[in-house]
Amino acid sequence: KAGVTQTPRYLIKTRGQQVTLSCSPISGHRSVSWYQQTPGQGLQFLFEYFSETQRNKGNFPGRFSGRQFSNSRSEMNVSTLELGDSALYLCASQTGGKATNEKLFFGSGTQLSVL
Amino acid sequence: DQQVKQNSPSLSVQEGRISILNCDYTNSMFDYFLWYKKYPAEGPTFLISISSIKDKNEDGRFTVFLNKSAKHLSLHIVPSQPGDSAVYFCAAPYAGGTSYGKLTFGQGTILTVHP
């Protein structure tokens, strides 16, 4: 079974631009979560989607948005990029229950650099 | 508010010896904990978990201990192998509301196992 696939692996953008990242979950997984990893803040939860609906959201500004398609693939978008948005963006999938007793499977991430 | 803390940024051990990674938490509502391992340029992979109804869980060379009164957990790796060199994160599902996809991660500990 293929793992979580994220594209692209690397991205370089300039301040003020917008960016779209893509994530394909493990086959059969209907929940997709997004995380931001930075050296200073560690891994921080952005949002979670299930059946094309956002079920959970972290404490990020509205410039960060996402969506999920009927095939469970997900995209996240960051508008008006700032230097501080430079980070590794990780996508994770799970079958769809609560995280309490269901582990997340992570992709390799998209490394975004904002210049 | 860092509810899950890993106070040791790094740990260095000799091959064959025990590695002990520590994690403290402040939210007494956490009832499940997970450890993830992360290699460079890869996403975190699930290692082992423990429910708050237990004080120990073992899987091969990996054992996690939970001390609820101290709000402390530790991961023991015995014996340590050079391939165990990675960043280790402890995490807990968000408590106090919907936890879909949302894990609170510690800052991580870089483990280096020397041959």
Side-chain angles (χ1 to χ4, degrees), chain B residues 19-31:
Chain B
S19 295
I20 300 177
L21 298 103
N22 294 304
C23 179
D24 297 297
Y25 61 96
T26 57
N27 192 335
S28 57
M29 293 184 68
F30 286 147
D31 60 3

Side-chain angles (χ1 to χ4, degrees), chain B residues 81-112:
Chain B
Q81 299 173 354
D84 296 329
S85 298
V87 181
Y88 290 78
F89 294 95
C90 67
Y94 175 70
T98 55
S99 64
Y100 300 125
K102 184 174 182 179
L103 294 176
T104 300
F105 283 87
Q107 292 291 88
T109 297
I110 301 170
L111 172 66
T112 304

Side-chain angles (χ1 to χ4, degrees), chain A:
Chain A
K1 200 184 245 188
V4 178
T5 304
Q6 290 189 247
T7 56
R9 286 287 279 126
Y10 302 94
L11 211 45
I12 299 175
K13 293 286 187 180
T14 56
R15 277 183 302 173
Q17 286 187 311
Q18 75 165 15
V19 66
T20 300
L21 314 180
S22 180
C23 172
S24 293
I26 291 172
S27 177
H29 287 192
R30 297 170 64 191
S31 167
V32 174
S33 304
W34 288 89
Y35 284 79
Q36 180 195 66
Q37 185 184 15
T38 59
Q41 299 296 319
L43 276 149
Q44 296 204 301
F45 173 78
L46 281 154
F47 29 66
E48 187 260 4
Y49 286 86
F50 178 82
S51 290
E52 302 176 65
T53 301
Q54 186 182 87
R55 284 197 302 191
N56 210 352
K57 190 177 187 304
N59 297 322
F60 279 82
R63 299 185 298 107
F64 293 82
S65 63
R67 61 177 175 169
Q68 187 181 34
F69 302 94
S70 58
N71 62 357
S72 296
R73 191 177 70 84
S74 177
E75 290 181 346
M76 70 162 280
N77 184 276
V78 187
S79 63
T80 319
L81 283 165
E82 301 177 0
L83 295 178
D85 296 333
S86 294
L88 178 66
Y89 290 88
L90 292 160
C91 166
S93 75
Q94 58 186 157
T95 55
K98 288 186 180 182
T100 301
N101 56 2
E102 188 182 349
K103 58 182 178 278
L104 296 177
F105 294 84
F106 284 87
S108 296
T110 294
Q111 183 67 52
L112 172 65
S113 298
V114 182
L115 305 178

